Structures are given as structure tokens and as C-alpha cells.
Amino acid sequence: MAEVGTTVDLRNQRLGLRAGERIRVLLIEDDPGDAFLVQELLAEADAPFDVQVAQTMREARPLLREVHCVLLDLGLPDASGLDGLRQVLQDAGRVAVCVLTGLEDEHLGTAAVAEGAQDYLVKGAVDGTGLSRAVRYAVERKRADEQARLLRESELRQAESARLERGLLPKPIMAGVEADLWSIYRPGRDRGLLGGDFFDAIGADGTHLHLLIGDVCGHGVDEAPLGVALRVAWRALVLAGVPEDHILDSLEQVLVSERRSDELFATVAVATVNLAEGTARIRLAGHPPPIVIAGDRVEPCAVQPGLVLGVMPGVPRPATEVRLGDPGWQLLLYTDGLIEGAPLPTRPVANASASRASSRSCGTGAAHSPRPAGLARGAGRGA
């Protein structure tokens, strides 16, 4: 059984005003008399505004990203009508915009709001208090619109991540195998949506259980499909009866051919468990060793380390046979997110659940007992 955790990422973007922050306003107006009137109206309202004036769109363009709100005249010499609004929205899409129109051009104000402006004001028909309120409301409406947009983008990213993660989470083939399997897949970092961790399990001939766990370096949509490819390749190799000595070499060939850059590598641990004899043949490719839990004994397997996949193809990674213990043993495989970024425990597993780590983590535990003890499940949940 697998459990997945995903989180929504809004990139912690600052959109609103800080407490006590003055609102920076850019007035784009070519008529000096109208510009003076707007400044006097804002001063009359005693509003916390800092106003800059630009007479043309060319003069205003370098200032657009430094303000909270633009008061835009629709009759500029170098940008007439809605063309000026479109330029402002294109150059500074996150800035609130209020357009200024004359009585005879009020229809342009309505069209400007439809184009993306937050409000329109008719010159000569608004006092200082109304102008101040319109600017404040425009800034807040723009902030709300931006938050809604970011939330929608985050939901789309989360949905995409969930679709990719379904490929990372297999349905283990356990028919006819007298063993219990627990698995969990959760982000071990804040705002984590997706990573390159993968795992799988296949039972064979009723007495052998093949286990895989791995981690493609990185945490994103480029690494996740590569993890899927490695998992599917491993499953195909095991089901095809490829000898164990050749499986890691074959996975390395898949990694080298599918990766987007030569810097990408993967750590992998594979184990073939003989359930009848209580032993396991384990191979490591730069991966942390599994942990054996048998009675009061909780310790990492003494396995010969091997080089990560993708660095020096063809390097041998020998198998180490490990005695698991009497019936009732449990074997925990995990990725480095379970152990990195947390204080070193005084005992191998007791503090493993404190794993707010720097990378995404996943874990899987196999137990050979009618009713397995809860330690393997508890340690896995920390991942």
C-alpha cells in the first residue's frame, strides 16, 4: 500500500502592501494642468501616496515596474486610446491600472476595464477622497486577481505532478509470496510537488521477493519521468528473467540514453530476498543500505557500496548476501530524504521519523511475519 503527499506551491510571492508602506503611483498624463489637478486631489485627501508624473508612454515605460498603480490618460501623443493600456499591461502586468477619460470618452473607460484595467475615472467628476479610494481599491483588486492566478497555476502544477507521481507508484506483484509490504511516498521539503524517487517490488516462484528503490538527482518534472523509466525498465528485466548480475548495468544504459544532461545520475538499491532461508542478496549503486529489523536488533545491512549509476558506466557492483534473521524480520529500504537534513540519531531508526529533510523521500518496508510489528511502518512513515 502506498501513500502520496503533495503540497501547493505559491512561490511565497509578495503581492500585497506591507503595513505602513506608501502607495507608489505613476501618473501618465501629457496635459500639465490635468496632472497638477490629480496631484492636488491626492494631496487634498492626505493619502499616503508618492506620485511620479510621465508625459509620454516612452517616458513612463522604465518606471512601470517600480509602482503599485498607474493612472493612465487615454489620449497620450505616442499611445492613443486602448493602445496605451495594452502597452502598460504588457510591460507591467502586475501593476494596477486606472484609466482617466473625459466626459465624451466615458465609453472608452468601460472598454478599458474589459481589456484588463481595474477601474476608470472621469476627469472633473471625482474629488480627492474618491480618487484616493479608487487607487486603493484598484491595488487591492489587482492583488486579489494575482493571487487567484497564482493559485490556479499552482493547482495545475499539482495536478500535473499527481499524474506523473502515479507512474512513480507501482502496483507491486506479490501474488503467491508470503510477505507483507508497506510503502510510502511523501515530499520531505516545503512546497515539494514532485521528485525523482521510485520503488517497486516483485514476488517470484513463491519464495523470492525482488525489491527496488532509487533516487534520480534533482526534484522536478525532468527527473520524475526518468525515475519512471528506470522503474519500468527494472520491472521488465526482472520479469524477463535477466540475471541479477546484469540488471544494474542495464538500468545504467537506460539512464544514460534517457537523461537530458550528462550531469544527471541516480542512486539505486536492489535486493533479492529468499523468504525460505531468511537471506537477501543486496546491491548498492551509491544508495543508503537497507535496515534490518529483527526483534530488538535494528541495524543497517553491511553491504559493499557501489558507484552511482551514470558516472562511470560498466563499473561492477557486487552483491552482498545478508542474513535477515528468524521469521518475523523486517527490511526497510528508503531514500536519502529520510536521513539527510535531520540530526544524527543515537539509534539507527528510533529518530528516523524526524525527517523534514532537504529532498523528497520515499520508503518501502517488507516484513516476513503473519502480523508484522509496527516499527517498519513507523520508520517508513517518517519518509
Side-chain angles (χ1 to χ4, degrees), residues 11-348:
R11 303 291 181 186
N12 199 27
Q13 299 195 36
R14 177 75 188 184
L15 299 175
L17 294 172
R18 297 179 178 86
E21 183 178 8
R22 296 177 65 84
I23 298 177
R24 298 186 298 276
V25 178
L26 175 61
L27 172 61
I28 310 177
E29 172 63 73
D30 64 324
D31 187 325
D34 287 345
F36 176 78
L37 177 61
V38 170
Q39 290 177 287
E40 285 298 306
L41 288 175
L42 291 177
E44 171 190 310
D46 195 24
F49 295 157
D50 294 326
V51 183
Q52 292 178 279
V53 180
Q55 293 186 329
T56 64
M57 186 61 64
R58 181 177 180 180
E59 183 182 346
R61 190 168 285 113
L63 306 174
L64 288 174
R65 296 183 180 274
E66 301 175 2
V67 298
H68 298 111
C69 182
V70 172
L71 294 176
L72 175 66
D73 177 34
L74 293 182
L76 299 174
D78 57 346
S80 179
L82 296 179
D83 179 60
L85 173 63
R86 296 189 185 106
Q87 292 186 41
V88 170
L89 294 177
Q90 180 179 354
D91 294 341
R94 293 187 180 181
V95 174
V97 181
C98 290
V99 299
L100 303 175
T101 69
L103 288 173
E104 67 279 5
D105 296 324
E106 190 170 354
H107 65 283
L108 282 178
T110 304
V113 172
E115 286 278 343
Q118 275 61 58
D119 204 349
Y120 75 92
L121 301 169
V122 179
K123 294 179 181 179
V126 63
D127 59 10
T129 301
L131 178 59
S132 172
R133 184 183 299 114
V135 171
R136 291 175 181 273
Y137 286 0
V139 171
E140 288 304 313
R141 276 196 296 272
K142 188 63 178 180
R143 180 188 63 82
D145 291 344
E146 281 296 301
Q147 286 186 332
R149 181 184 63 82
L150 289 174
L151 179 60
R152 177 58 180 163
E153 290 178 358
S154 179
E155 289 172 345
L156 291 175
R157 285 196 301 270
Q158 188 178 21
E160 180 69 16
S161 297
R163 285 193 294 271
L164 287 173
E165 279 182 338
R166 283 194 290 271
L168 294 172
L169 299 174
K171 292 184 178 179
I173 303 174
M174 299 289 291
V177 176
E178 294 297 327
D180 296 301
L181 184 76
W182 289 270
S183 58
I184 190 168
Y185 190 96
R186 252 186 209 172
R189 59 194 171 94
D190 291 339
R191 302 184 301 277
L193 287 177
L194 194 64
D197 295 15
F198 56 94
F199 64 93
D200 206 346
I202 297 176
D205 61 39
T207 59
H208 289 85
L209 178 61
H210 300 274
L211 300 172
L212 163 76
I213 195 163
D215 181 8
V216 179
C217 69
H219 312 76
V221 293
D222 292 318
E223 291 76 20
L226 188 53
V228 174
L230 293 175
R231 181 186 68 76
V232 173
W234 177 84
R235 175 172 283 205
L237 292 168
V238 171
L239 293 177
V242 174
E244 295 177 20
D245 293 343
H246 302 308
I247 286 182
L248 287 182
D249 289 340
S250 299
L251 288 183
E252 191 163 42
Q253 292 179 25
V254 173
L255 172 67
V256 171
S257 64
E258 295 292 335
R259 64 186 176 184
R260 59 178 172 80
S261 70
D262 294 340
E263 287 74 26
L264 276 179
F265 62 89
T267 68
V268 174
V270 293
T272 301
V273 180
N274 188 320
L275 299 173
E277 298 180 1
T279 60
R281 290 191 306 276
I282 302 173
R283 285 180 170 84
L284 300 180
H287 204 82
I291 292 175
V292 175
I293 306 164
D296 295 331
R297 180 171 64 98
V298 180
E299 61 186 16
C301 297
V303 181
Q304 184 174 347
L307 191 64
V308 299
L309 300 184
V311 176
M312 294 179 63
V315 172
R317 299 170 180 89
T320 302
E321 185 158 321
V322 175
R323 175 70 182 171
L324 300 177
D326 297 328
W329 56 261
Q330 299 172 63
L331 184 65
L332 173 66
L333 293 87
Y334 55 94
T335 57
D336 56 7
L338 183 65
I339 55 176
E340 288 184 353
L344 291 175
T346 55
R347 297 182 61 189

